[in-house]
């Protein structure tokens, strides 16, 4: 099982490297803001092999989820996402419309298409995916 923990500022160099290797349009300032406490940043591994960056609540926006290329397909992305989802509440995110692999990944974790976003990216369309909480388990978590 993959160990998931909150990120620290000491993780910054490793997370920036993962971000640069994994994302089409990395935004280091976004990750830096998260590490300074403006967001939730969870890390897979004692030595970071991936991270999830989430902002807000009601719903929570999953802004970035990235796993280092040589650590993919080992459950790290799922472990990060499940750790976020365990906090409860609604979640939303945006994926490229032509990224079937990402879309299937999120659908396996309960996300569903909310709407198409034509021209969302400079070079293509996006899709907004949402995951609504199970009302019974969410009510219990808020009690």
């Amino acid at each position: 099982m993959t160990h998931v923990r909150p990120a620290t500022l000491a993780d910054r160099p490793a997370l920036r490297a993962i971000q640069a290797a994994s994302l089409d349009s990395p935004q280091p300032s976004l990750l830096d803001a998260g590490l300074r406490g403006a967001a939730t940043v969870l890390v897979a591994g004692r030595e970071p092999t991936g991270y999830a960056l989430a902002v807000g609540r009601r719903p929570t926006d999953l802004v970035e989820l990235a796993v280092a290329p040589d650590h993919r397909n080992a459950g790290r992305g799922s472990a990060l996402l499940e750790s976020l989802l365990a906090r409860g509440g609604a979640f939303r995110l945006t994926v490229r419309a032509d990224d079937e692999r990402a879309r299937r990944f999120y659908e396996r974790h309960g996300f569903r298409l909310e709407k198409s976003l034509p021209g969302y990216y400079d070079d293509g369309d996006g899709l907004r995916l949402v995951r609504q909480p199970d009302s019974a388990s969410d009510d219990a978590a808020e009690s």
Side-chain angles (χ1 to χ4, degrees):
M1 179 176 199
T2 299
H3 174 72
V4 176
R5 62 175 174 79
T8 68
L9 287 174
D11 295 320
R12 183 177 181 264
L15 299 182
R16 296 269 307 267
I18 292 167
Q19 184 186 52
S22 301
L23 303 179
D24 290 335
S25 302
Q27 296 183 27
S29 61
L30 185 61
L31 180 58
D32 289 347
L35 289 171
R36 286 191 307 271
T40 299
V41 183
L42 297 179
V43 174
R46 285 174 176 66
E47 294 298 318
T49 58
Y51 72 92
L53 173 62
V55 178
R57 213 107 160 99
R58 302 185 187 273
T60 298
D61 288 301
L62 178 56
V63 180
E64 294 181 0
L65 189 143
V67 175
D70 54 338
H71 291 278
R72 292 183 184 152
N73 299 313
R76 287 168 177 83
S78 289
L80 286 163
L81 185 55
E82 290 298 327
S83 291
L84 283 174
L85 297 176
R87 295 170 177 224
F91 287 81
R92 67 182 173 196
L93 58 92
T94 303
V95 297
R96 293 181 176 277
D98 60 357
D99 191 344
E100 282 296 316
R101 184 174 179 217
R103 185 174 177 180
R104 283 192 310 269
F105 170 79
Y106 290 113
E107 287 174 344
R108 283 193 311 269
H109 291 281
F111 284 82
R112 298 292 170 249
L113 177 64
E114 180 182 54
K115 67 179 177 177
S116 296
L117 303 168
Y120 183 83
Y121 296 101
D122 289 340
D123 60 350
D125 299 337
L127 300 172
R128 171 150 312 130
L129 305 180
V130 296
R131 183 178 189 274
Q132 298 299 326
D134 175 29
S135 57
S137 64
D138 210 43
D139 291 343
E142 291 181 11
S143 298

